[in-house]
Amino acid sequence: MKAIVISEPGAPEVLQLREVEDPQVKEDEVLIRVHATALNRADTLQRLGSYPPPPGSSPYPGLECSGTIESVGNSVSRWKVGDQVCALLSGGGYAEKVAVPAGQLLPIPAGISLKDAAAFPEVACTVWSTVFMMGRLSPGESFLVHGGSSGIGTFAIQMAKHQGVRVFVTAGNEEKLAACKELGADVCINYKTEDFVAKVKAETDGKGVDVILDCIGAPYLQKNLDSLNFDGRLCIIGLIGGANAEIKLSSLLPKRLTVLGATLRPRSKENKAVVVAEVEKTVWPAIEAGKVKPVIYKYLPLSQAAEAHSLMESSKHIGKILLVT
């Protein structure tokens, strides 16, 4: 099969399409003929050499895909050859075929194309497991998502609105803020021209929001804590801005704040299967009802993975970038 190989750590140009061996399928896995895969920030970090795949995982980038099942392991019962599915991966989506534990597969949601379904598994599992399962975001609460126009952000806005939550977002230009508004965001903040802490406080009568989803890390840590309501929860899923920060512990105690950190990729297949089952039960009906829609910025052929990475790192995109085999 063909796959995108990281020839050495470096710029997007190190991504090369090569002939490689087909993956071996274990008893509890299925082999998927990949139709599409979606870019995630983790892919760019892996390309740079700073986020290696978990032991035993595919060496190729790609944390989600859609496609058709070509073969099934002996212990797999739910899925059969020919089924169209999408899947949460530990790696290997940038390829023509990928082997996946059966517990990480999802059916294609009704009304969604096979191609566009590749945009859902990673963002749905990340947002649902972090914001709703760990962060306990509930109807009637308020929620701030940084990078509202990203793949994570565009999904989080829609899912939170569907759950009856008041949504705040930050983004870096008016086009991105308009897109967030169109998806249902209630309060849109340009982080380049506005103080998001002051804006959040002004919009909540000084109280702050109940949950924050953050991918920036160090530069936003204290600001996020200052933006939380009593019993607020800060969910950190990325460190784009840096990993080391000092905070005033006195800001935690009086408001009974909780700081949560989470990544999805290193979790065990058993843990991922639990998350995927929850997503199928709670998120898939929202997608099938048209309450949560895929937001696709651009489709590119797999051979143009380098161009796709350059586009992602330019931060010009709104929503997801898909590679199609």
Side-chain angles (χ1 to χ4, degrees), residues 106 276-285:
L106 288 152
V276 167
E278 283 289 315
V279 164
E280 184 173 359
K281 183 172 72 174
T282 55
V283 177
W284 253 224

Side-chain angles (χ1 to χ4, degrees), residues 30 32 65-69 79 83-87 105-108 114 117:
V30 307
I32 297 176
C65 76
S66 60
T68 304
I69 295 177
W79 308 101
D83 284 346
Q84 292 191 335
V85 295
C86 53
L105 268 62
L106 288 152
I108 303 298
L114 179 62

Side-chain angles (χ1 to χ4, degrees), residues 1-5 16-25 30-35 57-62 65 68 70 89 91-100 302 325:
M1 69 172 187
K2 290 186 173 67
I4 293 293
V5 174
Q16 299 181 1
L17 187 65
R18 295 181 182 174
E19 284 285 343
V20 299
E21 291 190 6
D22 285 5
Q24 298 298 307
V25 181
V30 307
L31 183 67
I32 297 176
R33 167 69 69 169
V34 176
H35 184 71
S57 300
S58 170
Y60 315 122
C65 76
T68 304
E70 281 203 344
L89 311 174
Y94 289 27
E96 291 180 328
K97 299 178 184 180
V98 65
V100 193
L302 183 62
T325 60

Side-chain angles (χ1 to χ4, degrees), residues 182-243:
E182 184 73 20
L183 291 170
D186 299 286
V187 180
C188 300
I189 306 164
N190 187 330
Y191 68 83
K192 292 182 178 178
T193 60
E194 297 178 273
D195 178 347
F196 75 80
V197 182
K199 183 74 169 180
V200 166
K201 291 291 186 70
E203 292 284 345
T204 58
D205 298 323
K207 294 177 182 177
V209 294
D210 298 299
V211 176
I212 297 175
L213 181 62
D214 177 57
C215 60
I216 304 299
Y220 276 16
L221 182 54
Q222 187 62 54
K223 293 179 180 181
N224 282 329
L225 296 176
D226 294 340
S227 301
L228 284 170
N229 194 2
F230 284 90
D231 293 313
R233 290 85 74 195
L234 168 60
C235 305
I236 302 173
I237 59 168
L239 304 170
I240 293 172

